[in-house]
Amino acid sequence: MKVESVKKVKSIFQIHFMSEESAKAIPDFTGKKNEVAVRYDGKTTIIYCGVGPVDKCIASAVRSVAAKATRLAGDKKYKEVSLILSTLPQSRKELEVAALQGALAGAYNFGKFKSEKPVVVDSIELVGTTLDAAEIKRIQTISVCVNEARDLVNDNAHEIYPEILAQKARAIGRETAITVKVLSEKEIARLGMGLLSAVGQGSPNPPRLIIMEYKGDRSSKKRTAIIGKGITFDSGGQNLKPTGSIETMRCDMAGAAAVLGIMDALGTLKPKINVVGVVAAAHNAIDGTAYFPGDIYKSFLGKTVQIDSTDAEGRLVLADAIAYTIKQFKPTAVIDLATLTGGILIALGDFVAGLFSNDDSLANALYTTGEQVGERLWRFPIYEEYSEAMKGDLSDLRNVSKLKKSHAAAICGAAFLQEFVGTTSWAHIDIAGTAYNEGEARGEVPKFGTGFGVRLITGYLMGVAK
Ligand code: BES
Ligand code: ZN
Ligand code: ZN
């Protein structure tokens, strides 16, 4: 993808932004949010993008409609588009950033399995931009990393197994200033990560714990850990998922894909911060060696867990990854990203991710970033009653709550994870709804893998452009 700032328009596919006020000059076009109109001027195609009333024009509207217009360009087989940023109704940097983010996201098209490859927009001209080269590079890099995360989710589960995620991490390590260490199934077992071992034991492709260290500020002791759920396929195990739930479960490594994308972005952009990225990778398979419902396993932290359902596996692999990361790296904050529960879809649908935290200021900062970048979060409580419901019978903990079936399922998953956090500042983001879009593309959110979390967490760690 080429992004360049130009003085004069060269491309014959132009994207103009129009407020409701200025749209009065265009026949049959109202300028309402997300409305697009195609007009022709000789050989030039002009796409008018509605952004609502001038004084109410917000970044999310610009991002969304710019993505829609760019997707249209690809559908119409154009490879080059011009973003006429001077047509934005207000001259705010935030709106220019959103327009570019939208266009980059809208250019994405996963064509790997199509015999006839889709035409993909591979060049974006910025006309009349006030963004400097560094800002453009930052937005572009992050968007490439979002698209890498989408690719990993969209690819076949058969090809993306734990060792492949490890190889992706090693490749990022080779290209950037990130050190990568991968623990094998033997090391995972030797270190006492009984939960990650158990979840991964039924697959011919064994589990991995992937550790990526980025040290951008050696003078600081501050270090954030980001941890991703990397279940490369979630069959449910012995508690096999039924038809209707199982087909999309290659998306169960979306948290891991986001962590890889975030680390790649950091390694490339080199901000002055310290971050450790960890991926708990396993294939939750069903075969004769798979772990059993009813059995009790010992975690890395020492707490024992009774397996009520082999399908509540994400919390198991994350529990070991969280406890190990805290012991090994003593991070100042831990943020995990996980397609953890169907319950979060029941609560929020697929527009908003669930946020759970033991630290109000971390939760508020993540919430605010989400609003700014358009990856929205909504916070849930973890009251004592939920933690109480996760206590075991013969064991310390259970992996499914004692509450009535499906009650507060997303919160109970978070309450389980909290048992492995101790006093470290922590936030859990349940992306089971937002990571994968089974509906049609909407705005910057494509069909299938969305890359949710990459812009959110890089925005949180690096500060979002104001
Ligand atoms: N991977 C699923 C959660 C999920 C559901 C992700 C839908 C994406 C879309 C997770 O491992 C799971 O199966 N959770 C169970 C937990 C239950 C057994 C307590 C669920 O949500 O039903
Ligand atoms: Zn599951
Ligand atoms: Zn799962």
Side-chain angles (χ1 to χ4, degrees):
M1 174 67 81
K2 192 169 103 191
V3 180
E4 58 175 353
S5 166
V6 297
K7 291 231 162 62
K8 274 193 85 174
V9 189
K10 281 180 271 169
S11 153
I12 54 162
F13 192 98
Q14 300 178 6
I15 297 173
H16 293 232
F17 299 92
M18 284 275 153
S19 64
E20 288 181 23
E21 287 85 342
S22 54
K24 293 199 173 92
I26 317 285
D28 303 329
F29 179 65
T30 65
K32 291 222 159 52
K33 255 175 32 179
N34 237 16
E35 183 185 358
V36 295
V38 187
R39 298 288 185 271
Y40 301 96
D41 180 7
K43 285 211 163 115
T44 304
T45 302
I46 299 175
I47 306 293
Y48 291 111
C49 293
V51 294
V54 171
D55 56 344
K56 294 218 178 74
C57 175
I58 50 172
S60 59
V62 172
R63 190 183 299 113
S64 173
V65 79
K68 191 172 175 180
T70 310
R71 200 173 307 114
L72 197 65
D75 292 347
K76 292 187 180 296
K77 308 210 182 309
Y78 288 91
K79 296 186 99 165
E80 293 168 15
V81 303
S82 283
L83 280 183
I84 318 293
L85 295 172
S86 49
T87 58
L88 283 165
Q90 300 170 17
S91 56
R92 270 161 45 209
K93 204 169 112 182
E94 196 190 329
L95 299 184
E96 290 189 34
V97 170
L100 179 56
Q101 281 173 339
L104 288 163
Y108 179 78
N109 197 334
F110 187 71
K112 181 175 171 187
F113 298 118
K114 286 277 189 202
S115 314
E116 195 186 322
K117 299 293 174 212
V119 172
V120 189
V121 171
D122 61 8
S123 166
I124 299 173
E125 279 178 3
L126 302 177
V127 186
T129 186
T130 60
L131 301 176
D132 62 31
E135 284 160 333
I136 294 172
K137 181 183 175 205
R138 182 170 93 134
I139 297 160
Q140 196 183 351
T141 303
I142 292 171
S143 130
V144 167
C145 297
V146 170
N147 289 347
E148 281 168 5
R150 292 170 170 181
D151 279 349
L152 279 175
V153 170
N154 288 334
D155 212 336
N156 282 344
H158 187 65
E159 288 171 62
I160 309 290
Y161 45 87
E163 175 56 25
I164 299 297
L165 292 181
Q167 281 179 20
K168 298 272 175 201
R170 289 189 200 101
I172 292 168
R174 278 194 298 275
E175 283 158 26
T176 64
I178 287 178
T179 47
V180 178
K181 191 172 171 204
V182 178
L183 303 184
S184 69
E185 73 272 30
K186 288 206 181 91
E187 289 162 308
I188 289 167
R190 188 157 16 89
L191 284 163
M193 295 186 205
L195 304 181
L196 178 55
S197 286
V199 172
Q201 77 187 29
S203 171
N205 291 311
R208 297 283 182 264
L209 192 80
I210 304 164
I211 303 150
M212 306 172 80
E213 266 191 282
Y214 170 71
K215 291 184 186 149
D217 185 3
R218 287 178 196 266
S219 68
S220 167
K221 284 215 163 70
K222 259 185 86 174
R223 172 167 29 202
T224 308
I226 47 170
I227 305 183
K229 170 176 171 181
I231 299 298
T232 57
F233 188 76
D234 182 10
S235 71
Q238 310 265 9
N239 295 92
L240 187 63
K241 282 187 184 290
T243 298
S245 304
I246 201 168
E247 297 82 357
T248 57
M249 282 304 135
R250 70 179 195 283
C251 83
D252 216 17
M253 35 58 77
V259 167
L260 292 173
I262 295 159
M263 296 312 289
D264 195 359
L266 297 178
T268 309
L269 295 170
K270 304 189 179 65
K272 216 169 170 266
I273 51 173
N274 301 314
V275 180
V276 53
V278 176
V279 166
H283 164 202
N284 188 22
I286 176 167
D287 84 348
T289 65
Y291 73 136
F292 291 110
D295 277 5
I296 293 171
Y297 293 90
K298 193 170 181 181
S299 68
F300 176 78
L301 194 64
K303 294 187 184 184
T304 55
V305 181
Q306 146 192 340
I307 308 302
D308 298 317
S309 169
T310 57
D311 196 12
E313 83 299 333
R315 61 198 70 185
L316 300 175
V317 301
L318 282 174
D320 275 350
I322 290 170
Y324 177 80
T325 304
I326 290 175
K327 180 160 186 244
Q328 199 68 14
F329 296 98
K330 300 179 180 53
T332 30
V334 174
I335 302 168
D336 75 75
L337 290 156
T339 46
L340 204 72
T341 67
I344 205 66
L345 264 156
I346 305 294
L348 295 171
D350 63 3
F351 310 117
V352 184
L355 171 63
F356 307 81
S357 183
N358 61 4
D359 177 346
D360 291 346
S361 72
L362 175 63
N364 291 340
L366 285 166
Y367 171 80
T368 308
T369 309
E371 291 292 312
Q372 286 168 337
V373 305
E375 294 194 325
R376 290 169 298 178
L377 305 174
W378 195 254
R379 188 175 178 191
F380 292 81
I382 313 179
Y383 297 129
E384 265 172 33
E385 288 87 336
Y386 302 113
S387 304
E388 193 57 39
M390 300 310 292
K391 294 223 164 110
D393 300 318
L394 293 170
S395 58
D396 301 328
L397 295 168
R398 59 204 310 132
N399 78 335
V400 180
S401 87
K402 284 185 274 196
L403 305 182
K404 280 194 181 144
K405 196 170 184 301
S406 303
H407 281 203
I411 301 183
C412 290
F416 180 88
L417 295 180
Q418 189 171 241
E419 294 295 321
F420 297 86
V421 168
T423 54
T424 305
S425 166
W426 159 77
H428 157 59
I429 302 176
D430 192 336
I431 58 169
T434 52
Y436 197 76
N437 174 20
E438 288 187 67
E440 288 307 311
R442 52 185 145 81
E444 72 276 20
V445 182
K447 227 173 161 163
F448 308 127
T450 64
F452 188 97
V454 176
R455 285 194 301 111
L456 172 75
I457 302 298
T458 50
Y460 164 75
L461 292 169
M462 295 174 59
V464 186
K466 292 280 166 342

